[in-house]
Amino acid sequence: SEKVDAQFYHYMLPRANKNAFLLAKIGDWENLSLLPGKANIYFNQTIVGSTSIDPSIMTDTMEVTLGRDQAIISTRKKISEELKKVGLGKRNLKTLTFEIEIRNNSKASINLTLEDQIPVTANEEIEIQLVDSNGAGFNEVTGKLTWELVLKPGQKSTIQFSYSVEHD
């Protein structure tokens, strides 16, 4: 049994799950003499679940999930889809816009890493472009969008993003 200092943050992927997950980043974990295996996680003197510990990881900071935080919820919906003909050919340009709404129903401010994704393609006949990222970090190879947010208690935040797909 060890008591360790941790930095807490929330992670959310609304297209897969409407709840956020609470994670802890533990620094200086190399000095804990950890063995590989399962570990029970206690938060505020309550068991919140179990996780796997792998001391063979090669990072300075260990991340441990503390389970779902039911107080942080989201909705994700497509709010528009426009289809246009491009040029004289048979090419279509479809622009899609999505809206993510997040609400912090907890009694504390949270740091939230919010992720979503646009499609990627290896087909040269299909062009996909990010139209509006709404301030997200964007990885062109994976299509991943990442927002870093701070939400106060009771705060609601709305994020929209758009991408276009051009194809025959």
Side-chain angles (χ1 to χ4, degrees), residues 39-132:
N40 290 326
I41 304 294
Y42 292 85
F43 187 66
N44 291 335
Q45 289 77 41
T46 305
I47 189 166
V48 293
S50 63
T51 190
S52 293
I53 302 285
D54 184 3
S56 66
I57 59 175
M58 301 296 287
T59 60
D60 293 340
T61 305
M62 179 186 296
E63 288 188 341
V64 178
T65 182
L66 302 177
R68 292 179 191 203
D69 188 339
Q70 303 290 342
I72 317 300
I73 56 170
S74 69
T75 58
R76 180 186 187 268
K77 59 186 174 188
K78 183 176 12 172
I79 58 172
S80 74
E81 183 175 326
E82 298 174 17
L83 183 63
K84 296 179 187 175
K85 294 283 186 189
V86 178
L88 300 173
K90 299 178 182 177
R91 293 195 59 84
N92 293 318
L93 177 68
K94 184 185 280 191
T95 303
L96 298 109
T97 302
F98 289 86
E99 180 178 86
I100 302 170
E101 186 175 283
I102 305 120
R103 181 180 299 274
N104 178 7
N105 291 328
S106 71
K107 296 178 181 173
S109 291
I110 63 161
N111 295 319
L112 176 68
T113 299
L114 175 68
E115 288 187 355
D116 211 300
Q117 188 173 18
I118 69 169
V120 293
T121 182
N123 186 336
E124 294 176 3
E125 296 178 13
I126 300 173
E127 291 181 36
I128 300 172
Q129 291 190 348
L130 181 62
V131 175
D132 180 13

